[in-house]
């Protein structure tokens, strides 16, 4: 059985305060929850389904489901972990449904996210950064599902082994084994074309974050 994580007292206190305010239909509390967790939840969803728009839809549906059942949150884990479980269950459910209805190609063409790079950077450097990030995305997208989910959670999102095990419902040793294999596959895919890379992949901020936040708030009847 995977380890059961308990959030620190300070995290529990902050989470529970937000949850109580949200249960009282405090719009600012809903917005704070959404903006705080958008990036992590989007990255996890995209790591599973490998598609930008579908990942956004999954996160939106997960928020609506989570907020409808917010009274069930007891602070046994952090709000981030609780929401992440809902997202990953929604994403995996969609994958299973898709596979029952449409045969998956061996190498599906995933959409490439265009990264916001500093326009003041040297053009050649900016292009090189974009190419490197696209290589990393493509290598990640090429991973089998069982490895890709662990890779996204651990390497891209930065969750601990224990957090990843708790999120995926597997043993910590299983996370370590899958991560080792995932890293080997990514290195092979990159084929030594690049050196050490800061894996700041799959961003979700700015207008995209605001758009999803507004969509969820409208569905909750808290924004016109």
């Amino acid at each position: 059985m995977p380890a059961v994580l308990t959030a620190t007292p300070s995290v529990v206190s902050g989470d529970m305060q937000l949850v109580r305010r949200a249960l009282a239909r405090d719009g600012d509390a809903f917005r704070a929850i959404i903006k705080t967790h958008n990036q992590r939840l989007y990255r996890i969803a995209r790591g599973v389904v490998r598609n930008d728009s579908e990942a956004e839809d999954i996160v939106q549906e997960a928020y609506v489901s989570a907020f409808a059942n917010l009274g069930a949150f007891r602070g046994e884990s952090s709000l981030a972990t609780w929401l992440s479980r809902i997202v990953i269950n929604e994403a995996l459910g969609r994958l299973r449904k898709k596979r029952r209805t449409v045969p998956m190609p061996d190498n599906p063409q995933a959409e490439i996210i265009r990264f916001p790079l500093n326009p003041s950077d040297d053009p050649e450097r900016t292009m090189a950064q974009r190419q490197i990030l696209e290589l990393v995305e493509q290598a990640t997208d090429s991973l089998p599902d069982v490895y890709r989910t662990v890779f996204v959670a651990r390497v891209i999102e930065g969750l601990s082994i224990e957090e990843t095990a708790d999120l995926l419902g597997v043993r910590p040793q299983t996370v370590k084994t899958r991560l080792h294999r995932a890293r080997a596959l990514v290195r092979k895919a990159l084929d030594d074309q690049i050196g050490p890379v800061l894996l700041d992949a799959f961003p979700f901020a700015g207008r995209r974050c605001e758009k999803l936040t507004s969509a969820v708030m409208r569905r909750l009847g808290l924004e016109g």
Side-chain angles (χ1 to χ4, degrees):
M1 294 291 293
V4 177
L5 299 183
T6 56
T8 63
S10 61
V11 170
V12 170
S13 177
D15 286 347
M16 292 306 296
Q17 183 179 22
L18 269 180
V19 167
R20 284 193 292 269
R21 289 171 52 200
L23 288 171
R25 304 294 289 177
D26 180 340
D28 288 339
F30 282 109
R31 185 175 293 278
I33 291 171
I34 295 167
K35 287 194 170 184
T36 297
H37 301 290
N38 264 351
Q39 177 116 311
R40 167 184 283 191
L41 301 184
Y42 170 77
R43 285 172 162 174
I44 290 173
R46 194 196 180 282
V48 175
V49 299
R50 295 182 285 184
N51 180 279
D52 297 2
S53 60
E54 189 171 6
E56 290 190 34
D57 186 49
I58 286 168
V59 174
Q60 186 175 149
E61 291 299 321
Y63 276 131
V64 172
S65 175
F67 292 145
N69 296 279
L70 202 55
F73 178 72
R74 295 288 182 265
E76 295 169 354
S77 61
S78 70
L79 186 58
T81 298
W82 188 73
L83 290 169
S84 296
R85 289 196 194 106
I86 295 172
V87 165
I88 204 164
N89 285 335
E90 173 74 17
L92 291 173
R94 292 199 183 199
L95 271 190
R96 287 191 292 268
K97 183 178 180 181
K98 184 182 295 184
R99 285 169 179 160
R100 285 197 299 268
T101 57
V102 181
M104 292 284 286
D106 290 336
N107 293 294
Q109 293 297 314
E111 298 179 27
I112 297 298
I113 303 172
R114 298 300 170 186
F115 291 81
L117 299 173
N118 188 342
S120 65
D121 283 346
D122 177 78
E124 291 186 1
R125 180 183 178 187
T126 299
M127 180 61 69
Q129 289 175 326
R130 181 174 288 114
Q131 290 173 343
I132 289 171
L133 290 170
E134 288 184 0
L135 284 172
V136 173
E137 281 191 330
Q138 290 164 5
T140 302
D141 283 346
S142 71
L143 291 171
D145 296 345
V146 68
Y147 300 127
R148 189 175 66 255
T149 307
V150 169
F151 187 81
V152 169
R154 281 284 291 126
V155 177
I156 294 178
E157 187 50 38
L159 301 185
S160 69
I161 289 175
E162 290 75 17
E163 287 172 326
T164 304
D166 188 42
L167 177 64
L168 301 178
V170 299
R171 294 160 56 91
Q173 185 57 47
T174 302
V175 171
K176 293 178 183 179
T177 300
R178 292 179 183 177
L179 180 62
H180 177 78
R181 178 59 176 158
R183 282 173 166 160
L185 290 171
V186 168
R187 283 195 297 268
K188 182 179 179 182
L190 294 174
D191 196 27
D192 297 327
Q193 294 184 55
I194 58 176
V197 175
L198 176 63
L199 295 180
D200 188 18
F202 310 140
F204 194 74
R207 284 180 295 177
R208 299 178 70 191
C209 177
E210 286 288 349
K211 180 181 175 183
L212 191 144
T213 299
S214 295
V216 174
M217 296 293 286
R218 283 195 300 272
R219 292 182 64 175
L220 293 170
L222 295 169
E223 183 174 282

